[in-house]
Amino acid sequence: MSTGLDEDTMRSVQSGRETMGSMLRAAQKHLQKVFIVWVVGLVGTIYALQEFLWDRLKADMIERTAEEADIVAVTPFDVILLQVKIGAVIGILLALPFLIYYSRDALRERDLWPADRVPLWKLWSLLLIAIGLFAGGILYSYNLFFPLMFDFLAENAANAGFRPDYSITKWVGFVALLGFSFGLAAQLPLFMSALSYTGIVPYETFRDRWRVAVVLIFGFGALFSPPDPFTQVMWALPLVGLYVVSLGISKILVLTKRAGEEVGAATVARTRWNKLAAGAVVAGGAVYYLLATPAFQYIQAFAAWFPSDQLTGDIARPDLLGLGTETTAIAIAAVFGVVAAIVVLYYYMIKALDVAAAEAGNYGDPTAIDIEPLSAGAVRSAPVQRFQEMEEQEALELAQSAMDDGNPDKAEAILGRWDFAQDTMAGTGEAADDEDEEDADVVTSTTAGVMNAFTEEETTEDDIGGYYHDIAFILDSLTSKAIWFVGTFMAISGAAFVFLYSGGIGDIRNTFVSNLPPSMRADVTFVNLHPVEHLIFIVKFSAILGAVAVLPLIVYFAWPALKERGFVGGQRGVLGIWSGTVIASMIGGSLVGFTYVAPTVISWLAFDVLQSGMIISYRVAKFGWLVLALTVGIGLLFEIPVTMLLFHRGNIITFQSVQDRWRTVTLGVFVAGALFSPKGIFTMFLVSIPVTIAFLVGLGVLWLYTLGGRRAPEGAEPAD
């Protein structure tokens, strides 16, 4: 039986199956214990959720919000099924370590378990560090991020006229995803340290690519956090700080490995005891001054400004265990003093390890070596790359510094090493240039040979090579205009987002409700079942407006290439008129639909519900897309016949071409409706049938305009 998987993938899948089977067979005698652990985790989680966790979560995250928010169940089984799912996941997480431990013999046979005995204290240390980091991420999200975020989201939704009634399944899923992302992100120090120490990713890569790392962190923040700048910054900034800390940990581990011989922290501390003491006194004194003197008012002012309900401006000086504020201030100052001393010790440890690594010949990044602390012997054995990038003035300054320190041997070594590096560069530069040029010729000729199969002019139109050449030609013509597309999209979508986000969506909601019949206005409410439902709707709607605005630009700038490849013909100026009609249709259709059509349709849909005494609570996203379809959608439907008429008059797409392919167009509309409709066949017909009717109306208008196809488009050559 043939499959779509290659042999490597099949082998990987088979190996995974065999490994799992081996683990289960090896742990067969202990599976009962593993199952008991899973059951205990399941039952314990369900009990904890029922007894106090639900109330605690709601109290800590929802009830402290400025606006009233509720957690609701939309089906009778929401809560019980959710508790079982959470309990099952917790049980698996608890049982998995036991399963792995009991199957260690099978893993050892497949070389998936360390052959050498690893001290238990190392395993427990790594495990405790990982758990501590994960718990730290969870605590940050629970105590600071979630309360501030839900306060902001609930207030933003309430200002727009939407009730923040969160579905318990959506709310818990949202909290779990974000909480897990914080716990996972907190593993960054462990992750970076392991990669740097093992050499899988050199420490210098993390150090030199920090700008890329910051961009990626904010990018992941945009994915995991709600689509608003405030929460994205709250997600990303702690991770950026954690990245800096991870760099520091990775550096000292890597330097310790490269040094070869241990640089004792005690030795460095004895040598630099005065520096450590100065750092401790300065840091501890500053903390004591802030806590034990009238300067504490500055901390109170910051607490009053900070956007958290847990911090207020009337906080008192700390008093731990009833020791008194003075003693507590001394204790806290001592802790900060110790931390400051550790930071100073870290600084001097790095300097000592740098020298030891250089003496041992393990440099890591050769261009980043500090020459000044090296001995004369280390300078002579230092890598040539450091001196190749060194300016002559720097070499002279380093040599002079060595002379001033009474070390003429080192000064001579620096100048000799620098002269050797310059001679090496002069002797190999030309050869390197020739080699690069030769390599470039090989790559160019090889690439040209490969691409010729796709881009030869003799390729027939039916061959994929011809289509590739056409597409590449058209895309190449758009490359230089990309700034126009990106700029237009960002301007339109950004303006729409800012308008809606800053209260515009609430104004639209109020205006729309005012157009409903008076009997409905007080009975129709809008709810958010997901904490960021209204924000996601704003983002999607803004993106649609930006994409619609960019489409005419793409067609306009691609016109010469499309015409040269024979895809279009006629008058390019028609596109300007067409762009204007698109904008006019959207605006006009939105006004008519918003004022008359949408209120009428929704009133008709809600009539029976209100007559039966039911309460109407529309979901923001569902209601928003319905209103969008009844407003902007009407304008776009009207634009279909207008576009067909304009393109025929401009000899772009003639009536005859449309008439010959009307079945294909109709089928394409239904296929697109099936692909992009969110709720199956009903919404497919709900979208596809109006579009098809508009297309057929346009076909009828063209038939009348062309007198049954006898009138040729303007500027077209008469038929023979």
Side-chain angles (χ1 to χ4, degrees), residues 521-576:
R521 295 173 189 172
D523 298 322
V524 176
T525 58
F526 304 91
V527 298
N528 266 2
L529 291 185
H530 193 284
V532 294
E533 185 172 341
H534 70 292
L535 290 179
I536 293 176
F537 173 76
I538 290 174
V539 171
K540 290 182 177 179
F541 179 71
S542 303
I544 290 174
L545 290 183
V548 172
V550 168
L551 181 61
L553 276 180
I554 294 177
V555 177
Y556 180 81
F557 285 118
W559 184 267
L562 290 169
K563 191 171 184 178
E564 183 172 341
R565 306 311 297 178
F567 287 108
V568 298
Q571 306 169 16
R572 186 185 189 187
V574 173
L575 296 177

Side-chain angles (χ1 to χ4, degrees), residues 390-401 414-415 418:
M390 185 183 295
E391 298 292 337
E392 182 179 6
Q393 182 63 32
E394 182 183 358
L396 293 174
E397 290 176 355
L398 288 171
Q400 183 61 48
S401 176
I414 292 173
L415 295 177
W418 186 84

Side-chain angles (χ1 to χ4, degrees), residues 124-136 183 186-187 190:
W124 279 108
S125 297
L126 287 175
L127 181 62
L128 291 175
I129 291 173
I131 293 175
L133 291 172
F134 190 86
Q187 304 298 313
L190 198 61

Side-chain angles (χ1 to χ4, degrees), residues 122-369:
K122 290 186 177 181
L123 295 177
W124 279 108
S125 297
L126 287 175
L127 181 62
L128 291 175
I129 291 173
I131 293 175
L133 291 172
F134 190 86
I138 297 296
L139 287 174
Y140 168 78
S141 63
Y142 187 85
N143 289 300
L144 186 62
F145 181 81
F146 283 132
L148 294 177
M149 182 194 66
F150 282 119
D151 188 24
F152 167 78
L153 292 176
E155 184 177 0
N156 188 270
N159 290 339
F162 307 137
R163 283 185 54 82
D165 291 341
Y166 304 142
S167 164
I168 188 168
T169 56
K170 297 181 183 297
W171 177 68
V172 170
F174 180 66
V175 170
L177 175 63
L178 274 177
F180 182 77
S181 72
F182 276 108
L184 194 62
Q187 304 298 313
L188 191 61
L190 198 61
F191 180 71
M192 286 177 56
S193 301
L195 291 179
S196 299
Y197 189 78
T198 57
I200 297 175
V201 179
Y203 158 76
E204 288 77 18
T205 301
F206 289 118
R207 182 198 63 196
D208 297 338
R209 307 296 185 202
W210 68 269
R211 295 178 182 85
V212 177
V214 171
V215 172
L216 290 177
I217 287 172
F218 275 89
F220 281 113
L223 291 177
F224 283 108
S225 63
D228 66 273
F230 176 71
T231 50
Q232 288 179 16
V233 169
M234 283 192 65
W235 195 96
L237 280 185
L239 200 56
V240 171
L242 205 59
Y243 185 84
V244 175
V245 173
S246 303
L247 279 179
I249 297 174
S250 301
K251 183 173 184 178
I252 197 167
L253 289 176
V254 170
L255 287 177
T256 302
K257 180 181 180 181
R258 291 173 182 171
E261 59 184 30
E262 185 176 352
V263 177
T267 303
V268 175
R270 284 195 299 269
T271 306
R272 305 288 184 175
W273 68 269
N274 54 336
K275 306 291 185 182
L276 273 63
V281 169
V282 170
V287 171
Y288 177 81
Y289 175 75
L290 286 174
L291 295 179
T293 68
F296 187 76
Q297 61 182 328
Y298 297 112
I299 297 179
Q300 292 177 317
F302 173 78
W305 166 83
F306 196 77
S308 172
D309 293 338
Q310 294 184 345
L311 297 177
T312 58
D314 58 351
I315 59 175
R317 290 186 176 88
D319 184 5
L320 300 178
L321 304 175
L323 297 176
T325 57
E326 185 76 16
T327 305
T328 300
I330 294 174
I332 296 176
V335 171
F336 274 87
V338 171
V339 172
I342 292 174
V343 172
V344 175
L345 176 62
Y346 170 85
Y347 172 77
Y348 286 107
M349 280 285 294
I350 291 294
K351 292 181 71 68
L353 287 169
D354 266 329
V355 175
E359 297 284 353
N362 300 321
Y363 302 99
D365 181 8
T367 63
I369 297 172

